[in-house]
Amino acid sequence: APVGSWPLIPDDPKILERDFSLLKNMHCNTIRTWGEVNKALLDYAQKYGIKVIAGFKPYADDVDFSDPENRTRIINQFKDYVSAYKDHPAILFWAIGNEDNYHYKGKDITDWYAMANEMAKQARGLEGKNFHPVAIVNGHILNIGDLSKKADDKSMVYIDIWGANVYMGHSFEKSAMGNLFGQFARKSRKPLWISEYGIDAWDHVNKKEQQEAQAEWVGNNWDEIVASSVCIGATLMAYSDEWWKAG
């Protein structure tokens, strides 16, 4: 999103040409979008040999997933989304939600997990045997494997990948929060995709940029991701500064 604009997926050829040429020069092979993709973005991704993890969250945090009308509406929106872009060669997989387990204001988070599983089932039915995988984007690995939350592997049978937004500092393996990959392996046999990770370059203590420290921390995170036997990859937060968060 350019400075001065909200973070909607752009379809301006000048913006897309600028960004995808820079991403290619960075040796990027995949991007994740939080919002819904459009054909222009996918076309430029294909032009530059970059795959797209297509995000989907067209609902607010206060929507009630226990309401059958809401569930039907959102599931149908996802079916339309999959139908529109399933044949585009830039699509890598679909990614439902973003940290709903942190932000959902409804009655019961089990409704989100159950709805996401139904969305994935519908997508698989639309795509057939050559379906794209469907991921769900969770806040950290909280709830994963929890039968009472309907977030265990058997309840989430149509979800192919667990996405997790994870911020644990310099190391996933030697954090005060424990070994991320070891904890995940005890929760699920599905592959883990770290859908967000990273650290800001801004040092809040000394009030200055620390790009070398940022690079070292993110590099260490990536080395651990590559070495992991349960993690299939990660998407770095974020490609550009999010000026829109400051209003």
Side-chain angles (χ1 to χ4, degrees), residues 13-226:
K14 292 181 180 178
I15 295 171
L16 295 169
E17 181 66 42
R18 176 199 68 184
D19 286 350
F20 276 104
S21 62
L22 290 171
L23 287 162
K24 186 66 174 180
N25 288 339
M26 291 163 59
H27 302 285
C28 167
N29 62 14
T30 305
I31 63 168
R32 170 204 170 190
T33 68
W34 285 269
E36 296 176 40
V37 299
N38 56 52
K39 186 177 183 300
L41 178 128
L42 294 176
D43 288 346
Y44 271 90
Q46 181 66 14
K47 174 182 174 181
Y48 282 98
I50 293 173
K51 291 295 185 181
V52 178
I53 299 168
F56 184 81
K57 187 178 177 178
Y59 51 82
D61 293 328
D62 60 356
V63 68
D64 183 0
F65 295 139
S66 69
D67 184 326
E69 289 189 8
N70 288 338
R71 291 170 70 90
T72 299
R73 172 176 52 81
I74 294 167
I75 291 168
N76 285 339
Q77 283 179 290
F78 186 60
K79 288 169 65 177
D80 290 344
Y81 185 51
V82 170
S83 294
Y85 299 115
K86 64 183 177 65
D87 296 323
H88 200 290
I91 293 289
L92 184 62
F93 59 85
W94 316 104
I96 297 171
N98 188 66
E99 299 183 350
D100 292 60
N101 56 309
Y102 287 164
H103 306 299
Y104 181 49
K105 297 175 182 177
K107 299 173 184 177
D108 193 336
I109 193 60
T110 61
D111 294 323
W112 178 55
Y113 291 114
M115 184 182 72
N117 186 63
E118 179 61 28
M119 291 162 72
K121 179 181 179 181
Q122 294 295 325
R124 190 176 298 188
L126 282 169
E127 293 204 78
K129 64 179 181 179
N130 295 320
F131 66 92
H132 293 91
V134 179
I136 183 171
V137 181
N138 207 62
H140 202 76
I141 58 173
L142 303 176
N143 298 343
I144 294 175
D146 189 338
L147 174 60
S148 70
K149 299 286 195 300
K150 295 184 180 178
D152 60 307
D153 283 3
K154 288 185 178 180
S155 299
M156 303 293 282
V157 64
Y158 291 101
I159 293 293
D160 303 290
I161 300 165
W162 275 110
N165 294 349
V166 181
Y167 298 95
M168 296 175 70
H170 183 263
S171 174
F172 295 122
E173 295 187 320
K174 299 176 182 178
S175 165
M177 301 167 70
N179 180 328
L180 175 75
F181 302 122
Q183 291 181 62
F184 178 82
R186 292 189 290 272
K187 291 171 173 283
S188 174
R189 296 181 65 84
K190 296 180 186 291
L192 171 66
W193 155 54
I194 298 183
S195 38
E196 289 181 20
Y197 78 106
I199 188 170
D200 292 336
W202 184 252
D203 180 343
H204 289 271
V205 176
N206 298 304
K207 307 299 182 186
K208 62 179 182 180
E209 272 196 303
Q210 295 275 29
Q211 291 197 18
E212 289 185 3
Q214 180 196 35
E216 199 280 321
W217 281 47
V218 170
N220 189 71
N221 284 172
W222 181 252
D223 288 343
E224 292 179 348
I225 289 163
V226 171

Side-chain angles (χ1 to χ4, degrees), residues 6 116 169:
W6 287 99

